[in-house]
Amino acid sequence: DIYQVLAFRRLDAKSWKLRLFKPFEPLGINYELLNISAYHKAIFVAAVVSILQCVGITVILFSATHSYFNEENKKNQACHWTLPDWNNSWHFKLLAFLWCVVITLKVSIDIKKFKANGF
């Protein structure tokens, strides 16, 4: 979970360091850019994730409420997902599973980077 990574980054002193780098030095341009710290990157990712979660929950609640109070749907209250419908949407399930695996691996890699320091 990104919030756990953010909590780890908050307590890790190395994650707070800002760095300057010169990306155009091979071209002969002596211009420095600020590379934000890992903690600030985690804050940005956590903010984006929380906004997406809020928007996603709002869309789900709106669609569920709209379908519940829609007069046309009151006639058809049965579930229309039959076995062929589930079999035809297997690729969406596979993509959702793979996305969860990517997120889990990324978080586990981030957590393993930290030394055990007792918190």
Side-chain angles (χ1 to χ4, degrees):
D1 191 48
I2 187 62
Y3 306 112
Q4 292 174 344
V5 172
L6 184 61
F8 280 117
R9 296 263 187 218
R10 184 178 65 83
L11 297 175
D12 184 31
K14 293 178 188 174
S15 296
W16 284 78
K17 293 184 180 176
L18 298 174
R19 295 182 182 98
L20 293 174
F21 69 103
K22 297 179 181 181
F24 305 113
E25 193 172 32
L27 301 174
I29 301 172
N30 192 14
Y31 187 73
E32 293 180 338
L33 293 176
L34 181 65
N35 189 6
I36 63 173
S37 68
Y39 174 69
H40 292 98
K41 288 177 187 176
I43 286 177
F44 178 74
V45 171
V48 169
V49 166
S50 65
I51 290 170
L52 289 175
Q53 286 174 344
C54 290
V55 169
I57 293 296
T58 303
V59 168
I60 289 170
L61 289 176
F62 175 76
S63 64
T65 309
H66 179 69
S67 66
Y68 180 77
F69 289 111
N70 192 357
E71 291 296 326
E72 295 175 7
N73 286 342
K74 286 190 178 179
K75 300 173 191 170
N76 303 324
Q77 292 294 326
C79 178
H80 296 292
W81 279 91
T82 60
L83 185 59
D85 293 329
W86 281 104
N87 289 335
N88 290 335
S89 64
W90 65 268
H91 53 282
F92 293 126
K93 297 174 197 165
L94 179 65
L95 287 174
F97 172 74
L98 291 176
W99 182 242
C100 290
V101 168
V102 165
I103 292 172
T104 303
L105 288 176
K106 173 68 173 131
V107 169
S108 67
I109 289 169
D110 284 345
I111 289 174
K112 285 184 181 181
K113 287 181 184 177
F114 296 106
K115 294 179 182 176
N117 58 5
F119 62 89

